[in-house]
Amino acid sequence: MRRLPLTPVTASHRSAPSIHKHGSSMASNISGSSSSSDRQRVAQHRLRVIAGHLQRSAESDSVIQAAECKASVSESVAADSETRTVPRRRQEIMKWNGWGYSDSRFLFNKKGQAEFTGKRYRLSGLIIPGLKDWFEGTFGANLQHKSPATPILNSNATHPPNLNKAFVEELKSTGVPFSHDTEDRVFRAHGHCLHEIFALREGKVGRVPDMVVWPNCHNDVVKIVELATKHDVCLIPYGGGTSVSSALECPPEETRSIVSLDTSQMNRILWIDEKNLTAHMEAGIIGQDLERLLNEIGYCTGHEPDSMEFSSLGGWVATRASGMKKNIYGNIEDLVVHIKMVTPQGVIEKGCVGPRMSTGPDIHHFILGSEGTLGVVTEVTMKIRPMPEYQKYGSVVFPNFEQGVACLREVARQRCAPASIRLMDNEQFKFGHALKPQVSSLFTSFVDGLKKFYITKFKGFDPNHLCVATLLFEGDREKVLQHEKQVYDIAAKFGGLAAGEDNGQRGYMLTFVIAYLRDLGMDYYVIGESFETSVPWDRVLDICRNVKARIIHECKEKGVQFPPLSTCRVTQTYDAGACIYFYFAFNYRGLSDPVHVYEQVEHAAREEILANGGSLSHHHGVGTLRKEWMRETISSVGMGMLKSVKDFVDPKNIFGNRNLL
Amino acid sequence: MFSPTQHGESMLKKKDEFEDILEERRNSSDLRYALRSYTPPLYKEVTPATANELKDMVLQSDPLCFVVRQVSTESGRPVDEVQAEASAILEEMAHGLQLSTVRFFAFTLSKVFKTLFRSIHVNEDGIQRLQQAVQENPVVLLPSHRSYLDFLLMSYILYTYDTPLPVIAAGMDFMGMKMVGEMLRKSGAFFIRRSFGGDKLYWAVFSEYVQTLLKKGYAPIEFFLEGTRSRTSKSLTPKLGLLNVVLEPFFKGEVYDVTLLPVSISYERILEESLYARELLGVPKPKESTSGLFKARKVLSEDYGSIHVYFGQPVSVRKLSEGRVKRSQFNLMPRHIPKRPGEDINKVVIELAYQLVQNQQANMVLNPFVLLATLLLQNHHQSLASGQKPGMKLQELTDRALWLRDLSRLFGACLQWPDDRPPAEVVSSSLRLHPGLVTISEGRVQLALHQASSPEEELFNQAVIILSCVSYRNQMLHVFVGPALVASAMNISSSTQKNEIANSHSFLRNMFFHEFILCPGGTNQDLSMSFDLLEKARALDVFSHHVLVPEEGHRTLSFLSSLLDPFLQGYQMVCRFVPDVRKFIVKQILAGRLKYSEVLSSDLQKNALAALSRLGAVQKIKGASQGNLKVNKVMVNWLEDTLGEKEAA
């Protein structure tokens, strides 16, 4: 493979332990670092940061160049085309009918042991001994009962492209690359909702875009949108394709030619402003590339949504994304300084980059969360920060979920939340446990056993009630250690016991592999999904209990033969509430229409969330999946306001994905 | 979920077998029974807590603290003082369940029950359903209330079956009984004042206490939907206060669901039988006192037959309110700030309350004497009207009882009639259980009415007997009330046109809203169900616009309408003589213008007055003493006329 899209690109990265443990938990290079001593790590770390700073000041003159389009760029901080992660033909490196990279997947080997293939992740190449028992025990699944996916996409499964000839002709003259190859089209017809992936695995494809265009810069987008408006073509912007709200599905009732506008080639950092600590990027850049490129010069944005390996900056803006380290860096709306968006009415942007303005309602807030209904976000100016000098994971075990939530609430009250703090419930704790890779040394397993003994026997924690919070601290070393102590002191008041860095780190790793795990489940009759909400503090316990119980009851009622996995975690803390993630999966053997059952249960769960004071979405967005609840969420007048904006900006409904409204 | 047809459900439940729990008590040691290990299944999310920890939780809870501060601001009293008052209220209220006391009761009650009763039958399937339900969700037990014994009996049964012991909402009057009050407290009772409508603090303590018990899954909560013991054996219209309190945590999302479990306790003979009759006739109720309880010892020497306790189908509040209640109405305000529930919730709660009482009724076990008392009463009144000699031959009574047995079974009654024994034997053994109410002489059965020196005294003495019999007849009213309302509607409208019958039916239903358990808003459903039943009984042929009475239907219809006749005439009397009802009713009866001495029942008069007040015919004068009413003469006259049968044109 020519463009190997490994996360750390350069050789020097491989040898230097990454300071960015979280990011690197996705990547293979770190596997050796846990053996290097703490001190050594920190020292190397510092060196690197300092090197970065030095390098940067030397280069700063030549580096910062605003660029108009690819053709005119000679040398910039941007990833050149050879190192970018996302090729035009995504299917070359990514699964067409599952999550993530083609080379990385879970499987049960001939011995019945679970292993994770590939070389990209910490878990890659490792055996996970506990997974089989957990999997079979939790779902009543059986390794003998397989439900394999259709291996190859049948090109007859799609309708022939419905091309708008005049549009295609004029597009050709602009030189913007495009394709109506079946694979390209199918790849952009879906996000990662369960029903979308399930259908692909069965080789079923619905309405797909009629062609795909790859603009290289803002001006390309302006041309495409102009042509689309002129010829009445439907445009659906496509960033990372990680949507979980049916936001990328082509409306079946759409009769016009549908063009998927893939922003992946607009992936450069155009300039960096160190005086104001901002960076200006093309909106197609994906999270891991953005962080990696900034890290190389000692900066970061700190925006790390769980999908950051694949999701794009434009997608974050369009969905009001949230990153796991928002406690330090903020959510996307806090990070964005300037947005440029191309609409059928022209380009919308502000005339200056003042840090705050009182100039009527903030027009950025029409764009943030507009879910591709108004136009294409082409360029974004974002805040950047110097890379943190020090990072430390941690974890705390609580006797039960109630105590854990009380602790998180207190941490939020004292406004001392670490970069990330997440609380997993008991089921998820067990799940996390099952994902422990095989320990190489007898000593480690002995220590683990000892820890377990201490917590369950000596401290009297009930293994069926205890839950764990995972923590990530970052900043300068001294402050991190101080901060760490403060948080652990609070935790102790709620019966929390520090449970080590490894547990914490594994918790975050889970975030990145869980989507791969779903594909494994689907090989054995298990389907599942996650969904999220945000809720005031006083309702956290009630909503967690009620939604989990609702899922279990609905499954039973809908004829699911085995009790489902129904689990949750608190993933973000705010002054006035928290973000909660629910995971839900079940064994669908014996069901004639498992996806329908799944959708009914998810629907019921969402009803339950809303009845318990939860929001329609914290960061996934509405898409077409949750549209039906928009009116009760924002009131009829609110709907009217959004509608009138849409009517003005896009009267012909060129951006016709029909999300949101 | 409730099926709207209780009849359908009563068919279903007949699968449940009853088991006599006294049988084992007669064959094994009571002491060992009282001391055996007791390990009931627990609510899966239970937070174990002692009674004192519970009190602390209540006092520190957000809702209570909010009201304490509010009361303090409004009254200008310091917060500490209000807090202390709240604490005192809680102290007076809270239960102190102790297993040792329960064991004491298990021992003594075994002895007492074996003396008083022949058997205590319990449906074990119901117990199993309860044990299942207890683990899943907080459970609220809702027994019918006919006797002081009810709640001791409930706890006794639950102890016997190793099921979690409930905490029971009891009236404050028990507290007056020295020792016993404390004993009851230790066996799980908590005490609430009878009325505290305006007392915000009391209400806050009370509702928080109950809700804490519920949410923590500490124990099943038990209370009486009817609010108090029914002195007439007729179910009382449900009181919504406590029901609202136990349902609120569900509507506010604080629990996943609440399981309501109606329990029907049927006594073959109620301990307080003659006490109730006197009470209804205005002889004041004896204040509960310990010495009174000992005087009641003579009660112990009598035979009170059997008890049937039926644990009904658990009702999921979540399922029942699905799609009908917007729980999100509590989203915008902190939930500890008191907020009135929306109309949607009120509607569901009222409907639920009536359905639960109807469910209790449907599972009441009727004994043969209920049929006999009904027949003897009708016979008594007919003979008064016609001047014939009262009473019936045993054979005639038996024949009529068999007819009524079949009719009531057809209408879905749960009748405990031993089919394997000769009917005559069933009748006479059933009569023997009630020597104070019926006499058999020269082969004739009649009510045990005795002469007395003054006509008024005689009337009262006889009324005691009549009212006691009425309390048996009342046990089967729920079976017949639907069709009986139709039969009476046909009479007072003297029409066979369905729309006219429907009008009169709706009028009667409205009038008797306080008298019988009639689900609000269920008029049309009731009417069509009653038509169906009457057709099934071959008492009526129903066509699209009219009805016809077939030859064999007259007997049934006249039986049904005479069931309601005392109520119709009683309400007429109340209309005529409001506000000085009682005095005049005595005169009317003595003068022979009214044959139903049961109209003397304060219960009937109270219900009738409630109906008049609801219909705007009388108005309470504010500030005036009780019984001071402003009467809307025109309205009252109209009601009286409408209740009377129309002269056939």
Side-chain angles (χ1 to χ4, degrees), chain A residues 402 465 536 538-539 542-543 545-547 549-551 553-554 557 607-608 610-614 632, chain B residues 43-45 136-137 251-257 318-319 322 326-328 330-335:
Chain A
E402 289 75 13
H465 283 117
D538 68 319
R539 290 175 177 273
D542 288 333
I543 204 172
R545 179 193 53 242
N546 290 353
V547 172
R550 178 77 183 260
I551 288 169
H553 279 90
E554 291 287 334
E557 222 157 80
E607 294 271 345
E608 191 63 33
L610 299 177
N612 283 274
E632 69 175 284
Chain B
Y43 175 46
K44 63 180 178 204
E45 287 184 42
E136 290 299 312
N137 291 301
F251 293 125
K252 286 188 168 178
E254 292 165 340
V255 291
Y256 179 72
D257 198 355
R318 173 176 277 267
K319 270 193 186 150
E322 196 173 293
K326 259 182 88 101
R327 279 181 286 151
S328 59
F330 296 103
N331 279 1
L332 299 182
M333 251 168 77
R335 287 170 297 173

Side-chain angles (χ1 to χ4, degrees), chain A residues 27 51 64 80 84 120 172 224 245 284 389 393 429 437 506 564:
Chain A
I64 314 302
D80 69 274
R84 71 189 171 215
R120 294 170 191 274
K172 270 183 190 159
I224 295 167
S245 57
E389 170 197 324
Y393 287 96
F429 166 78
R506 204 170 45 251

Side-chain angles (χ1 to χ4, degrees), chain A residues 587-602:
Chain A
N587 182 340
Y588 68 84
R589 290 195 74 211
L591 295 180
S592 59
D593 192 349
V595 171
H596 183 60
V597 169
Y598 168 79
E599 284 172 342
Q600 284 178 313
V601 177
E602 191 192 342

Side-chain angles (χ1 to χ4, degrees), chain A residues 343-488:
Chain A
T343 78
Q345 291 283 21
V347 174
I348 175 174
E349 63 180 322
K350 290 185 185 174
C352 68
V353 287
R356 182 183 188 276
M357 301 179 205
S358 173
T359 51
D362 189 340
I363 57 163
H364 283 172
H365 286 284
F366 289 117
I367 300 169
L368 286 155
S370 60
E371 304 193 357
T373 58
L374 299 178
V376 188
V377 177
T378 54
E379 289 174 17
V380 176
T381 309
M382 234 176 137
K383 298 176 193 170
I384 56 171
R385 299 291 303 165
M387 283 181 71
E389 170 197 324
Y390 186 67
Q391 260 190 335
K392 193 171 181 192
Y393 287 96
S395 65
V396 182
V397 178
F398 293 97
N400 55 46
F401 192 63
E402 289 75 13
Q403 295 282 73
V405 170
C407 172
L408 261 64
R409 205 281 160 263
E410 184 57 30
V411 166
R413 193 198 314 274
Q414 296 190 20
R415 290 198 172 165
C416 64
S420 170
I421 177 165
R422 289 178 170 177
L423 179 73
M424 299 188 248
D425 69 1
N426 182 260
E427 289 83 359
Q428 229 169 93
F429 166 78
K430 288 176 181 163
F431 178 28
H433 228 68
L435 281 174
K436 254 187 171 172
Q438 197 158 37
V439 281
S440 40
S441 82
L442 207 61
F443 179 71
T444 324
S445 68
F446 173 73
V447 170
D448 279 354
L450 214 62
K451 271 191 215 155
K452 197 174 160 192
F453 176 82
Y454 176 72
I455 287 175
T456 59
K457 295 291 183 309
F458 188 70
K459 281 288 173 181
F461 285 19
D462 179 347
N464 290 315
H465 283 117
L466 62 79
C467 73
V468 62
T470 59
L471 309 166
L472 172 62
F473 298 90
E474 66 177 47
D476 66 63
R477 191 166 187 276
E478 219 149 283
K479 276 189 188 146
V480 161
L481 296 178
Q482 212 180 334
H483 193 178
E484 192 186 21
K485 184 177 179 313
Q486 188 185 5
V487 172
Y488 282 112

Side-chain angles (χ1 to χ4, degrees), chain B residues 350-367:
Chain B
I350 290 175
E351 220 169 282
L352 179 60
Y354 276 84
Q355 284 181 343
L356 286 163
V357 176
Q358 283 181 339
N359 203 290
Q360 288 176 354
Q361 289 181 325
N363 294 319
M364 284 289 195
V365 171
L366 307 182
N367 287 292

Side-chain angles (χ1 to χ4, degrees), chain A residues 489-505:
Chain A
D489 284 351
I490 294 173
K493 284 189 197 137
F494 295 90
L497 292 174
E501 290 183 62
D502 278 0
N503 279 320
Q505 190 165 7

